[in-house]
């Protein structure tokens, strides 16, 4: 069941948006729980339980943008949709990784499109994840969202659909953690998600995001076996001679 929060200090507006969301998701056959909040502080106390949050920007302190910043400081992974009568905050929304920015009054076709994309994104996320620590905060990394891991000294760089994320760790330990989860260490510095491997030869593999990752000569044969095993589960891949 999809868990959604709508936060707007205008009670009538909050109820209207919540009602529209319920109607659209019922039409889509998507079970959901929609809760209403009339202030940022109230939302912050319970925010961790939601998959998707609709957040008005122009609220009594803390306003929607400040509330979003505090949500992200907690490393929450929910999708954020801003709602506002003004376009002025569109670029600020990027700083808190907003999923969408909707203008009031909300167009129902636009809302339906946003909800469909949000549902698709949430459902695509594998239940498989790892938890890593950075600056005394824990962060959940969904494996389906990761193209590859790269080791740089004592730092692991996560290359994913949401951009880059770094933390301190050992790639050998990470490799063991991800055994049987569709990842392969094709080079001492790279651990790739086989899901995103498009084309490969003896020197490199081309990933779905357009990046080319080196394949160590001594790992090529094992890499080929790993690709074939993955193909049996999820489809085909091209091979260059």
């Amino acid at each position: 069941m999809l868990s959604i929060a709508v936060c707007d200090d205008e009670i009538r507006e909050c109820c209207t948006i919540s009602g529209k969301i319920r109607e659209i998701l019922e039409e889509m056959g998507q079970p959901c729980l929609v809760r209403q909040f009339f202030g940022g502080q109230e939302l912050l106390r319970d925010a961790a339980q939601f998959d998707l949050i609709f957040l008005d920007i122009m609220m009594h302190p803390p306003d929607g943008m400040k509330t979003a910043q505090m949500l992200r400081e907690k490393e929450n992974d929910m999708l954020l949709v801003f709602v506002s009568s003004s376009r002025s905050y569109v670029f600020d929304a990027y700083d808190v990784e907003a999923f969408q920015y909707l203008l009031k009054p909300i167009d129902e076709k636009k809302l339906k499109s946003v909800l469909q994309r949000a549902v698709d994104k949430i459902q695509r996320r594998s239940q498989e994840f790892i938890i890593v620590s950075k600056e005394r905060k824990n962060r959940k990394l969904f494996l389906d969202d990761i193209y590859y891991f790269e080791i740089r000294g004592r730092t692991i760089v996560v290359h994913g659909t949401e951009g880059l994320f770094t933390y301190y760790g050992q790639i050998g330990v990470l490799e063991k953690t991800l055994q049987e989860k569709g990842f392969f260490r094709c080079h001492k510095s790279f651990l790739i998600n086989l899901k995103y491997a498009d084309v490969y030869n003896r020197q490199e593999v081309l990933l779905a995001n357009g990046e080319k990752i080196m394949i160590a000569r001594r790992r090529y044969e094992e890499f080929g076996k790993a690709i074939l095993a993955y193909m049996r589960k999820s489809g085909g891949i091209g091979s260059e001679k």
Side-chain angles (χ1 to χ4, degrees):
M1 177 179 290
L2 199 64
S3 183
I4 300 173
V6 179
C7 184
D8 193 318
D9 61 357
E10 295 184 17
I11 297 177
R12 181 178 295 180
E13 191 76 19
C14 189
C15 293
T16 299
I17 295 172
S18 299
K20 288 180 179 180
I21 291 172
R22 289 191 187 95
E23 289 176 8
I24 291 171
L25 290 176
E26 284 177 7
E27 291 175 2
M28 291 168 53
Q30 173 62 52
C32 68
L33 173 65
V34 182
R35 283 189 58 190
Q36 299 172 12
F37 296 88
F38 306 118
Q41 289 291 358
E42 184 185 357
L43 171 65
L44 286 166
R45 287 193 291 267
D46 296 322
Q49 64 184 279
F50 297 107
D51 303 302
L52 175 62
I53 293 178
F54 285 79
L55 187 58
D56 183 40
I57 292 179
M58 302 173 73
M59 297 191 297
H60 296 302
D63 63 22
M65 197 60 65
K66 181 61 177 178
T67 300
Q69 290 168 358
M70 289 189 283
L71 286 171
R72 290 307 188 207
E73 285 173 3
K74 294 182 177 181
E75 304 291 353
N76 285 304
D77 298 295
M78 78 285 292
L79 301 182
L80 291 177
V81 175
F82 281 117
V83 181
S84 178
S85 56
S86 171
R87 297 178 183 272
S88 303
Y89 304 93
V90 171
F91 294 106
D92 294 328
Y94 287 108
D95 293 336
V96 290
E97 302 174 28
F99 179 70
Q100 185 66 49
Y101 192 103
L102 293 175
L103 287 174
K104 293 181 179 181
I106 298 177
D107 179 80
E108 289 198 27
K109 289 184 179 180
K110 183 67 173 177
L111 178 59
K112 184 174 183 178
S113 173
V114 169
L115 285 169
Q116 182 63 68
R117 290 193 297 109
V119 169
D120 290 345
K121 183 177 180 65
I122 291 167
Q123 291 180 342
R124 282 199 309 270
R125 280 183 167 180
S126 169
Q127 295 304 308
E128 296 268 19
F129 62 86
I130 59 173
I131 295 178
V132 300
S133 179
K134 181 178 181 179
E135 297 175 352
R136 298 182 180 179
K137 296 178 182 178
N138 291 330
R139 176 162 181 152
K140 185 187 296 183
L141 300 178
F142 289 92
L143 301 187
D144 269 7
D145 291 342
I146 297 171
Y147 295 122
Y148 66 96
F149 295 92
E150 177 186 5
I151 187 71
R152 298 178 185 173
R154 295 176 54 210
T155 300
I156 291 178
V157 184
V158 184
H159 297 255
T161 57
E162 305 293 334
L164 302 181
F165 176 76
T166 62
Y167 69 99
Y168 289 113
Q170 298 178 5
I171 200 166
V173 173
L174 181 62
E175 181 182 11
K176 291 179 180 178
T177 301
L178 296 178
Q179 281 183 345
E180 308 300 327
K181 296 186 184 297
F183 283 76
F184 184 83
R185 193 174 178 184
C186 59
H187 184 277
K188 66 179 182 180
S189 299
F190 301 106
L191 183 63
I192 70 168
N193 188 343
L194 295 175
K195 170 184 176 179
Y196 294 108
D198 275 349
V199 179
Y200 72 96
N201 56 33
R202 289 186 173 274
Q203 286 77 43
E204 61 190 14
V205 54
L206 175 66
L207 301 183
N209 67 341
E211 292 191 65
K212 294 180 179 180
I213 306 298
M214 291 184 291
I215 301 176
R217 183 179 302 176
R218 65 184 182 86
R219 298 178 191 263
Y220 175 75
E221 185 175 344
E222 190 178 352
F223 176 76
K225 292 177 181 178
I227 284 290
L228 289 174
Y230 188 81
M231 285 172 61
R232 296 190 189 102
K233 294 182 179 180
S234 55
I237 185 171
S239 176
E240 296 179 354
K241 301 300 184 182

